[in-house]
Each structure stands twice: as structure tokens, then as C-alpha cells.
């Protein structure tokens, strides 16, 4: 299946495709193992910094290899803050790119997003273009307080503005601000999602919606959000936390161990566990 077919299939069956960020090979292996074990499709995402660390050619080659083996693994350029990066990833053969102009004035976000959409149509028509419309913070980290300018009613995406944005840009998918935030709050649960707003945005735009900031969201909110129109769910912080916690435990318990493959295997297994747990929620099993 192309990514477009997989997303439209998820939309029709009211399930969601898991999008998991990677910055190392252990995370990629954890994702591949989860796809083999569950049979569910997965999108691998790399942000600017994750791509810089991993290598663009390297992650493209790996995903192409898995696709050639018949695995439903797709590659997304997560949060491209520059039109140049979005175009470079389209040229490199990514299955999707996210142009993130959420912090820009709306007219500039529209202009740049439109430029990326037209470039994709001209250069690689199977590459889906997603846009951020509503700011939800920028970092997949543990936080003491809400990122500034997020989650409160006044900052959430207005359905009628989402409709106008989609009409003006022609994007394939939209990531709105519906109470979600990037990262996880340390001492309290992340905010609840505004399910009625998701329904209204889905109704107004009639395109697949994408839920960013999945870490720390409750199972109940996930299920309601997917029912309301979310077709892809992004998870990063919880996977990073699983990696770090397992690695710290391994290092503490095996002070003399120097073999990376022995130190990193428990961290890989911990990430796979989180990924499979989320896939089961997103696919109602
Ligand atoms: O694009 C990546 C995600 O939106 C991840 O968000 O770190 O809150 O799970 P998260
Ligand atoms: Zn995101």
C-alpha cells in the first residue's frame, strides 16, 4: 500500500497509524520488530535534529529496504521548519513531509505550505504533505509546566480557519491544536483533548487529521480522538523515556559491561514494548 492508501484505509476503519520518531538504529529495529509482530503499518519520523544525527541517506535506505521486504513502514520528515528541508526530503523520496509554520503569521504559513505542496505535486506526487495549523509547543521532553501559548482555549485551532487553510494550501493532512502538547508534564497528566473540536475540524476539512504530542495522552482520549477523525498519532517522548530508563538500569546493573549490543538491547526491547502497546490502542485490539 502507498502511504496515502494506508491513511485513507485507517480513516475509513476509524483506526490510526502510529508515527514514532527515531534518532538511532535501536529505535528503528524496535519499530521493525513491532511491525513484524503486529502486522500494523507504522510511520517512522525524523525531526530536523533526529535526521541530522541519523543521516538522511541512511534512514531513507533503511526504510526502502524494509519496504522492499514487504513491510508496511513509511518515512516522514517530521516538523520541517524550513521550506528548503521539506523540498530536500521530497527529493530524497520520503513518503510524507510536515511543513511546520505554526509559529508564523497565518498568511506566511499559507504561502510556504502552498509552495511545499506544489513542489511535492510536481516532483513526487506520492509524497503526502501535512501542515501544522495551531501551536502545540516544540520539544519532546519532560516539562514542569505547559509550553507557553498552548492547550488553553484561546490557542486552539478554530474549525472555520482550518477549513480556509486547507482550501488555500491544498495540503493532504492537517495537524491541529486540540489541547495536545509536545512533551509530557512531569507532575500532572497532560491536558485532555477537545474531542468536539476535532469532530468539527474533521467535518470542516474532510481530510485526514494528525494528532501530535501523543505522549501522556490517556487511552480514553486516544480512542475518542481517533473516532472523531485522527488518522495518525505521533509518539516520541514516551519512547525516548523508555530508551533512557532501560539504558540507565542496564548501566547501573552491569557496571563492567562494555559491549554496546548488550547494553542497548534492553533499551531496544523497552521501546518495542511501548510501540506495541500504542499500536494496540490505535488499532482497537
Ligand atoms: O512529532 C512528534 C510528536 O508530535 C511527538 O510528540 O513527544 O509529545 O509524543 P510527543
Ligand atoms: Zn509533532
Amino acid at each position: 500500500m502507498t502511504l496515502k492508501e494506508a491513511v485513507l484505509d485507517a480513516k475509513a476503519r476509524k483506526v490510526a497509524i502510529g508515527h514514532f520518531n527515531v534518532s538511532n538504529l535501536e529505535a528503528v529495529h524496535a519499530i521493525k520488530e513491532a511491525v513484524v509482530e503486529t502486522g500494523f503499518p507504522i510511520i517512522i519520523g525524523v525531526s530536523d535534529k533526529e535526521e541530522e544525527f541519523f543521516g538522511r541517506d541512511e534512514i531513507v535506505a533503511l526504510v526502502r529496504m524494509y519496504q522492499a521486504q514487504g513491510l508496511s513502514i513509511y518515512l516522514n520528515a517530521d516538523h520541517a521548519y524550513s521550506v528548503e528541508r521539506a523540498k530536500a526530503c521530497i527529493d530524497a523520496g520520503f513518503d510524507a513531509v510536515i511543513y511546520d509554520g505554526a509559529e508564523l503569521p497565518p498568511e506566511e504559513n499559507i504561502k510556504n505550505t502552498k509552495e511545499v505542496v506544489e513542489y511535492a505535486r510536481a516532483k513526487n506526487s506520492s509524497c503526502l504533505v501535512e501542515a501544522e495549523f495551531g501551536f502545540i509547543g516544540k520539544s519532546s521532553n519532560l516539562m514542569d509546566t505547559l509550553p507557553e501559548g498552548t492547550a488553553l482555549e484561546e490557542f486552539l485551532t478554530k474549525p472555520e480557519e482550518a477549513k480556509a487553510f486547507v482550501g488555500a494550501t491544498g495540503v493532504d493532512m492537517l495537524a491541529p491544536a486540540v489541547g495536545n502538547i509536545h512533551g509530557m508534564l512531569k507532575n500532572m497528566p497532560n491536558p485532555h483533548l477537545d474531542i468536539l473540536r476535532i469532530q468539527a475540524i474533521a467535518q470542516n476539512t474532510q481530510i485526514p487529521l494528525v494528532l501530535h504530542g501523543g505522549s501522556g495522552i490517556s487511552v480514553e482520549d486516544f480512542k475518542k480522538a481517533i473516532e472523531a477523525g485522527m488518522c495518525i498519532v505521533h509518539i516520541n517522548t514516551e519512547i525516548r523515556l523508555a530508551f533512557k530508563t532501560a539504558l540507565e538500569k542496564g548501566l547501573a546493573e552491569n557496571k563492567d559491561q562494555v559491549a554496546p549490543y548488550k547494553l542497548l538491547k534492553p533499551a531496544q526491547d523497552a521501546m518495542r514494548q511501548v510501540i506495541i502497546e500504542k499500536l494496540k490502542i490505535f488499532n482497537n485490539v
Side-chain angles (χ1 to χ4, degrees):
M1 267 194 189
T2 65
L3 180 56
K4 184 167 187 169
E5 289 164 341
V7 171
L8 293 177
D9 171 64
K11 188 170 188 286
R13 294 189 298 113
K14 291 198 177 294
V15 297
I17 301 176
H19 173 291
F20 304 103
N21 290 67
V22 305
S23 45
N24 59 14
L25 190 56
E26 289 70 32
V28 173
H29 282 162
I31 285 170
K32 181 209 173 187
E33 290 164 4
V35 169
V36 169
E37 195 169 322
T38 64
F40 294 128
I42 279 182
I43 302 170
I44 287 180
V46 283
S47 66
D48 295 15
K49 295 275 181 293
E50 289 164 343
E51 183 190 291
E52 213 178 287
F53 184 75
F54 199 107
R56 180 180 295 155
D57 297 344
E58 288 83 351
I59 191 66
V60 169
L62 265 174
V63 172
R64 286 282 160 276
M65 180 184 77
Y66 291 144
Q67 290 177 341
Q69 293 169 355
L71 295 174
S72 303
I73 296 179
Y74 305 94
L75 182 58
N76 172 48
D78 198 22
H79 297 288
Y81 296 109
S82 74
V83 170
E84 290 64 38
R85 179 182 174 226
K87 289 181 175 178
C89 291
I90 291 166
D91 291 340
F94 278 56
D95 299 294
V97 297
I98 301 177
Y99 175 69
D100 187 341
E103 285 185 285
L104 299 174
E107 56 286 349
E108 204 179 331
N109 189 1
I110 288 172
K111 179 177 84 49
N112 293 353
T113 302
K114 206 161 172 265
E115 185 179 341
V116 173
V117 169
E118 286 163 1
Y119 190 84
R121 300 281 186 271
K123 293 292 182 103
N124 177 0
S125 57
S126 66
C127 180
L128 298 181
V129 178
E130 173 191 330
E132 300 291 303
F133 190 63
F135 182 64
I136 68 164
K138 288 182 88 168
S139 69
S140 288
N141 277 321
L142 302 179
M143 304 171 292
D144 295 312
T145 56
L146 278 176
E148 210 175 310
T150 69
L152 304 177
E153 173 86 22
E154 66 201 278
F155 302 121
L156 302 188
T157 303
K158 297 180 178 56
E160 60 283 0
E161 291 179 3
K163 183 175 182 174
F165 178 86
V166 169
T169 59
V171 284
D172 302 296
M173 304 188 289
L174 189 77
V178 289
N180 46 332
I181 57 168
H182 278 129
M184 288 166 76
L185 298 171
K186 283 184 210 160
N187 310 316
M188 65 189 99
N190 276 23
H192 274 294
L193 302 178
D194 183 338
I195 303 300
L196 292 177
R197 186 179 297 269
I198 297 173
Q199 281 167 355
I201 294 171
Q203 187 58 36
N204 274 24
T205 61
Q206 294 296 316
I207 64 170
L209 301 182
V210 181
L211 181 61
H212 282 249
S215 295
I217 290 179
S218 70
V219 173
E220 196 194 351
D221 269 11
F222 275 139
K223 292 198 178 282
K224 288 181 182 163
I226 294 167
E227 181 65 30
M230 291 291 180
C231 303
I232 297 176
V233 180
H234 285 224
I235 305 281
N236 195 0
T237 309
E238 277 190 49
I239 295 172
R240 289 177 170 184
L241 190 56
F243 173 82
K244 182 173 178 269
T245 308
L247 187 60
E248 279 174 343
K249 184 168 176 289
L251 289 167
E253 290 170 359
N254 309 283
K255 290 208 177 337
D256 299 331
Q257 180 56 257
V258 295
Y261 64 87
K262 288 188 178 166
L263 290 168
L264 290 164
K265 185 69 169 69
Q268 180 174 311
D269 295 342
M271 290 190 285
R272 186 185 62 251
Q273 222 169 325
V274 172
I275 291 164
I276 290 178
E277 178 203 307
K278 299 299 179 190
L279 288 174
K280 288 182 174 168
I281 297 166
F282 303 161
N283 291 279
N284 283 328
V285 294

